Amino acid sequence: MRQSDRTAVLGQSEIRAISKRINAVNGINLGQGICDMPAPEPVREAAKRAIDEHRSIYSHHAGIEELRRGILAKAQSYNRIPVTSPDEIVVSVGSTGVFTAAVLSLFNPGEGAIVFEPFYGYHRDLLRLFGIVPQYVRLRGREWDVPWDELEHAVTAASRAIVLTTPGNPNGKVWTREELTKLLDLAKRHDLTIISDEIYEYMLYDGRPHVSPASLDGGYDRTITLSGFSKTYNMTGWRLGYAVGRPPLIENMALINDLVYICAPTPLQHGVSAAFGMDDAYFSELSDDYDTKRTMMCTTLERIGFDVPWPQGAYYVLASFEPRADEDGFKDDAQAVLTLIDRAGVGAVRGSAFFSNPDDGRYLLRFCFAKEMPVLAEACERLERAFT
Ligand SMILES: Cc1ncc(COP(=O)(O)O)c(C=O)c1O
């Protein structure tokens, strides 16, 4: 049957293909970014109550008022964004839902978006699905430094926006205030909008602060801030995320949200509203727990001879196996992924999935350490047993 040209950008996601292979050998999947810890009890209870109380009809297309008020207070206090009204907030089907609404609201087909590499695949693929041209800028070195001159050259008359992810997936880069100030200055000079994906905003290490570009002087006027509940509350399957931004752009995003999804699932919106009543200790425990897991994952990878730039935030490590590249099974990332599955029963994602030029990720693998502790410990033991 005839299909649209845009389906050419689809392919089975690399990550999903590897997941299948891991399951076939009953292995441990450190590939897909799924947190397998339970969602918080108050949130689960509130969702159950909403279902029992038959709060089951379509909600307001931008999200229920109670939830948007909770997000408003959080965006003001945690992100320090000068947002003043729930009308500047749209709740959608995951942060992916608001990313889609942002892309459809901002761009005409053929326009360009600056995308930093290594990138989060969904950003790149959704842009391409809608006919927007990714304009790549590769971050450099162990700290994923921004090549400012190259960035300046990557911007063209067709550029409309910069896609930013902080903390980053897959590299764990946490953008500093200085970097974001420079980025905002560039955005102002070229009249670009910043789409800032901050879904990992509570997972930070070594005392690094999370800085939202919308909190900087003049930043809110040209930034759409995206976040969600998937990662912070271990509920990737609930599909709830949101955007914070200035009207009229945010209003158009709400209208697109209405058109594409009608609304986010109503009872789950009621459930997740309970998250804002939780103690602040939840966030420090979350970060401490991931820090312990980060140490376990990174030290294991170092022990098996990988070169490991420790992530500054989020829950992934993008590590290089180049020191082992002369050995059998480590010729390139595709082979290394299979070697880890076959010899240790541990799944990772190949580095080339995160670059426009696959060669840039040839010696890299991404490991996700958002696992229950015993599962992560078992995966680390298996890696050490197989490769030391
Ligand atoms: C950078 C980034 N943004 C967004 C998402 C997806 O978020 P959501 O579940 O809110 O759609 C992910 C999931 O892996 C991610 O890594």
Side-chain angles (χ1 to χ4, degrees):
M1 201 184 293
R2 191 175 163 278
Q3 297 196 47
S4 75
D5 294 343
R6 72 171 65 85
T7 58
V9 309
L10 308 175
Q12 192 191 22
S13 138
E14 174 78 25
I15 297 177
R16 230 170 277 131
I18 290 297
S19 301
K20 251 190 190 164
R21 196 174 168 122
I22 314 279
N23 292 343
V25 298
N26 222 354
I28 299 175
N29 191 356
L30 302 184
Q32 219 168 8
I34 294 176
C35 9
D36 60 8
M37 280 77 76
E41 196 189 346
V43 173
R44 284 184 277 134
E45 290 305 321
K48 285 186 222 167
R49 259 196 321 277
I51 291 170
D52 288 341
E53 290 166 8
H54 309 296
R55 299 196 217 166
S56 302
I57 58 171
Y58 295 139
S59 63
H60 187 287
H61 60 284
I64 62 169
E65 177 88 9
E66 182 192 0
L67 178 53
R68 282 188 291 144
R69 288 209 172 273
I71 295 166
L72 174 66
K74 174 263 177 191
Q76 290 168 334
S77 61
Y78 184 69
N79 303 95
R80 307 202 170 277
I81 299 175
V83 47
T84 55
S85 149
D87 297 341
E88 294 162 64
I89 289 159
V90 179
V91 175
S92 184
V93 180
S95 70
T96 310
V98 266
F99 183 79
T100 301
V103 168
L104 289 171
S105 304
L106 269 175
F107 296 91
N108 291 314
E111 291 180 332
I114 298 290
V115 172
F116 295 104
E117 302 182 274
F119 49 67
Y120 168 57
Y122 274 64
H123 287 161
R124 196 272 306 261
D125 293 347
L126 275 166
L127 288 166
R128 289 171 66 211
L129 184 71
F130 296 122
I132 292 117
V133 182
Q135 300 173 304
Y136 299 106
V137 176
R138 188 160 59 86
L139 301 173
R140 299 294 160 79
R142 297 177 68 80
E143 301 278 314
W144 309 102
D145 297 320
V146 185
W148 293 102
D149 287 346
E150 266 178 48
L151 172 58
E152 200 73 52
H153 282 110
V155 177
T156 65
S159 308
R160 283 287 294 115
I162 300 170
V163 178
L164 175 79
T165 312
T166 184
N169 170 12
N171 57 358
K173 177 181 173 67
V174 174
W175 286 63
T176 64
R177 180 174 298 278
E178 290 68 35
E179 287 172 325
L180 292 170
T181 304
K182 256 173 120 166
L183 191 72
L184 179 61
D185 173 62
L186 178 135
K188 284 178 184 167
R189 279 188 285 108
H190 295 283
D191 193 20
L192 304 175
T193 299
I194 299 174
I195 305 175
S196 182
D197 181 336
E198 303 177 20
I199 190 103
Y200 298 103
E201 62 195 328
Y202 288 107
M203 291 147 205
L204 301 159
Y205 310 117
D206 308 322
R208 275 171 210 273
H210 173 68
V211 182
S212 296
S215 69
L216 303 177
D217 193 20
Y220 188 42
D221 292 334
R222 48 180 69 251
T223 305
I224 303 169
T225 308
L226 312 182
S227 192
F229 301 93
S230 290
K231 313 287 176 171
T232 309
Y233 299 100
N234 309 323
M235 42 172 65
T236 50
W238 285 42
R239 312 306 307 124
L240 290 169
Y242 55 87
V244 182
R246 287 255 197 239
L249 182 68
I250 201 81
E251 288 161 357
N252 279 334
M253 283 177 59
L255 293 176
I256 287 177
N257 192 56
D258 181 20
L259 204 55
V260 181
Y261 310 106
I262 301 188
C263 65
T266 309
L268 301 187
Q269 290 188 59
H270 285 286
V272 90
S273 297
F276 295 108
M278 285 168 52
D279 211 301
D280 269 0
Y282 177 81
F283 302 107
S284 46
E285 278 164 25
L286 179 88
S287 218
D288 290 351
D289 181 50
Y290 279 123
D291 200 5
T292 308
K293 291 173 178 170
R294 175 182 77 138
T295 302
M296 180 181 280
M297 185 82 249
C298 291
T299 48
T300 299
L301 292 172
E302 284 174 347
R303 268 189 227 125
I304 66 168
F306 282 34
D307 180 19
V308 188
W310 285 42
Q312 302 163 348
Y315 52 49
Y316 307 94
V317 195
L318 193 60
S320 167
F321 58 87
E322 195 166 5
R324 299 190 75 134
D326 288 342
E327 294 172 34
D328 274 357
F330 287 100
K331 177 173 69 85
D332 60 22
D333 58 333
Q335 210 183 60
V337 165
L338 300 183
T339 302
L340 260 64
I341 297 175
D342 295 344
R343 288 173 49 190
V346 170
V349 181
R350 64 192 182 113
S352 48
F354 306 109
F355 294 90
S356 57
N357 174 4
D359 241 20
D360 290 332
R362 177 178 181 160
Y363 295 116
L364 300 176
L365 293 179
R366 190 195 73 176
F367 297 84
C368 169
F369 52 84
K371 293 279 152 200
E372 292 272 23
M373 198 46 145
V375 178
L376 184 66
E378 166 72 18
C380 289
E381 266 171 45
R382 286 183 186 200
L383 287 170
E384 283 208 45
R385 234 181 288 133
F387 298 110
T388 49

